[in-house]
Amino acid sequence: MPPWLLFGLLPVFVSTSSCHHHIDPQELIRLIIANYSRSQLPEPRPVPVQVEVTVQDVAELSVLSNSFTADIWFSAVWNDRRLAFAHLDRCRANLSFDDAFEKLIWSPNVCLVNTKTSIVHSSPRANVLLMLMPNGTVFLNYRVRVQAPCDMDLTDFPMDVQKCFLQFESYSYNTATVTIDWMTHAVTVSRKSIHLPDFVIGKINHFRHTEIYKAGEWYRLTVEMEFRRRYGFYVLQMYVPTCVAVSISWLSFSIDLNALPARIVLGVNSLMALTFQFGNIMKALPPVSYVKAIDIWMFTCVAFIFASLLELAIIAYQDKKLQMRSIKLHTTVSALFMLAHNYHDPQTDESPECKVRRRKQVTFEENEAESHNAFRESLVEAEELKVFEFGSTVDKYSFACFPLGFLLFNLCYWTFYLTK
């Protein structure tokens, strides 16, 4: 902190009880600004200006508008020897003014250059304090509501960390005329009084750099604020319901293979519930073209439910193949039997012995057809048993592999994003 600033602030605490004579404030102001020129810069040059910021409250952090709204105090302190009044009234500690006096003296015009909107609070008058110290040190403070931009990156949403910025410059004076820098305690945040429903304030950094414009070089002071998202809402409203939907889709593995409609309804309902839940969450997010953490979760959940439906389709396809094979086998055997039963040689003698022989042959063919039917039914039952064993085996392995795969995905997902 420059020596002039330190000695300029000390008189605020000097007791005036030993002083019995004061110049009238109006007379004192008249004497100070009698030969004062607002257009002339103070000495020395470049004029050193100290800046500090106090964040009073953060009202909102909007993902859709990529900005945050906050109430802040920011102060600029510099020394203008032309305004010193210690030689005129050595007992007066300071002089305090409103924004009207600011228009009469030189000011470095420190302002927020990156805000979308900035409004000086009026309650009822403008919240501006200008304090003048005996050695000419000027303390200028504003209470402002600002809407400033944030560098929104939703890659890790809803475990994301967003960075928002406040940038200060001397709007009227470049590096050749004004040198602005941070005070020792540059940024103060009232963490206990700031309560956001879905964010918590993290690290706060401040730094200075030089910004190059066509008109020259300007010093820029930047406050960088981190906001960590509270993801408890999304755990209750999205992660837990989707886990339940995926788990319900696994119940189809325990349903009988013959109840295909029930298994299909169970899987499709789980998929529809998942899609509906995802749509509700995405309404509050801007349409971005990159993949977010919540997208990976939803795509994986959809993949698990789709895989359960695919497993059902494979078993249903095997059952359909059995039905087609059974119909084909039944048709073939029936056709051969009818051909053998209805065959008659016209040259056969119609003697009584031939008729007796033919009746015996018909009886034999009927017995043989019954045995063929029994053999055909045994073949069909064997095929059905094979398909049933295949479906039961697939269901048994799926009932074990699907939960294990989903558990492994959860371990990788939460470990990666919570330790990032």
Side-chain angles (χ1 to χ4, degrees):
M1 182 179 292
W4 54 263
L5 178 58
L6 177 62
F7 290 111
L9 294 176
L10 284 176
V12 177
F13 305 100
V14 173
S15 174
T16 60
S17 59
S18 60
C19 297
H20 304 285
H21 176 68
H22 289 283
I23 300 177
D24 182 72
Q26 296 294 332
E27 179 64 20
L28 184 59
I29 295 171
R30 188 187 64 78
L31 293 173
I32 290 173
I33 65 173
N35 297 315
Y36 188 87
S37 176
R38 187 175 186 272
S39 61
Q40 184 179 356
L41 273 70
E43 297 289 344
R45 299 179 189 172
V47 181
V49 179
Q50 302 287 309
V51 177
E52 68 88 20
V53 180
T54 299
V55 181
Q56 180 187 14
D57 186 28
V58 178
E60 180 188 15
L61 196 152
S62 175
V63 179
L64 296 176
S65 63
N66 287 354
S67 64
F68 80 109
T69 303
D71 294 321
I72 66 169
W73 290 292
F74 79 90
S75 306
V77 183
W78 69 95
N79 183 263
D80 190 343
R81 296 173 184 173
R82 298 171 298 171
L83 298 174
F85 60 87
H87 61 288
L88 300 174
D89 189 348
R90 64 182 183 85
C91 295
R92 190 176 295 276
N94 60 68
L95 292 171
S96 297
F97 305 93
D98 57 13
D99 58 327
F101 189 72
E102 180 194 0
K103 299 178 176 62
L104 303 177
I105 66 172
W106 179 88
S107 169
N109 195 14
V110 176
C111 61
L112 289 147
V113 295
N114 71 322
T115 57
K116 299 180 180 180
T117 58
S118 297
I119 303 173
V120 177
H121 279 279
S122 298
S123 53
R125 299 188 62 182
N127 295 174
V128 179
L129 169 65
L130 192 150
M131 188 178 295
L132 183 60
M133 308 300 173
N135 68 338
T137 299
V138 182
F139 177 86
L140 180 60
N141 177 270
Y142 296 90
R143 181 169 175 258
V144 186
R145 165 156 287 203
V146 297
Q147 184 182 13
C150 297
D151 186 12
M152 291 290 181
D153 184 6
L154 299 176
T155 303
D156 297 335
F157 179 86
M159 284 78 67
D160 53 326
V161 178
Q162 305 301 340
K163 294 182 178 181
C164 301
F165 305 92
L166 294 171
Q167 296 177 340
F168 299 85
E169 285 184 8
S170 173
Y171 197 82
S172 304
Y173 303 99
N174 58 20
T175 57
T177 53
V178 167
T179 302
I180 65 171
D181 204 350
W182 290 112
M183 290 185 184
T184 304
H185 301 287
V187 182
T188 304
V189 178
S190 305
R191 294 179 182 268
K192 293 183 179 180
S193 63
I194 298 176
H195 301 286
L196 291 170
D198 50 351
F199 285 96
V200 61
I201 297 179
K203 296 180 181 178
I204 298 176
N205 301 316
H206 63 277
F207 49 89
R208 185 184 81 158
H209 71 281
T210 302
E211 195 74 19
I212 300 176
Y213 299 99
K214 291 183 179 180
E217 296 182 354
W218 267 256
Y219 289 118
R220 175 174 291 185
L221 306 180
T222 302
V223 179
E224 180 185 271
M225 302 177 63
E226 278 189 0
F227 293 91
R228 294 185 174 274
R229 191 183 300 274
R230 304 175 188 264
Y231 52 85
F233 169 81
Y234 299 95
V235 170
L236 296 177
Q237 297 296 323
M238 199 275 296
Y239 285 102
V240 172
T242 51
C243 284
V244 172
V246 174
S247 302
I248 288 175
S249 68
W250 300 336
L251 296 179
S252 62
F253 302 145
S254 60
I255 298 177
D256 188 77
L257 294 175
N258 295 323
L260 288 178
R263 299 183 65 167
I264 293 173
V265 168
L266 196 61
V268 171
N269 284 347
S270 299
L271 189 60
M272 292 179 63
L274 196 70
T275 305
F276 177 76
Q277 197 72 26
F278 184 57
N280 286 339
I281 297 296
M282 294 304 293
K283 287 179 182 178
L285 297 178
V288 295
S289 58
Y290 50 84
V291 178
K292 304 179 289 296
I294 195 171
D295 295 333
I296 295 175
W297 175 270
M298 294 301 301
F299 293 157
T300 305
C301 291
V302 170
F304 270 92
I305 295 178
F306 181 77
S308 66
L309 291 174
L310 188 62
E311 184 263 359
L312 175 61
I314 293 174
I315 297 176
Y317 177 70
Q318 293 295 327
D319 184 65
K320 185 177 180 181
K321 283 178 62 177
L322 169 66
Q323 293 180 0
M324 297 298 295
R325 191 181 303 172
S326 300
I327 294 173
K328 185 176 180 181
L329 180 63
H330 177 76
T331 304
T332 303
V333 173
S334 299
L336 292 175
F337 173 75
M338 293 300 296
L339 181 64
H341 180 72
N342 296 329
Y343 177 76
H344 175 68
D345 188 357
Q347 297 181 356
T348 303
D349 188 13
E350 294 296 333
S351 60
E353 293 81 1
C354 292
K355 292 181 179 178
V356 173
R357 196 183 306 117
R358 188 179 297 112
R359 281 196 295 269
K360 292 181 179 180
Q361 185 177 359
V362 169
T363 305
F364 173 76
E365 289 175 353
E366 289 177 352
N367 294 333
E368 187 176 6
E370 291 179 359
S371 63
H372 283 175
N373 289 335
F375 176 71
R376 182 190 62 198
E377 291 176 357
S378 65
L379 288 178
V380 173
E381 290 177 357
E383 291 294 332
E384 288 179 349
L385 183 61
K386 288 181 180 180
V387 173
F388 182 79
E389 290 178 352
F390 171 78
S392 298
T393 304
V394 172
D395 280 343
K396 183 169 64 176
Y397 280 107
S398 298
F399 201 80
C401 293
F402 274 64
L404 288 177
F406 193 66
L407 178 61
L408 180 62
F409 164 71
N410 271 269
L411 290 176
C412 296
Y413 181 88
W414 292 107
T415 302
F416 177 77
Y417 284 106
L418 293 182
T419 59
K420 197 171 181 180

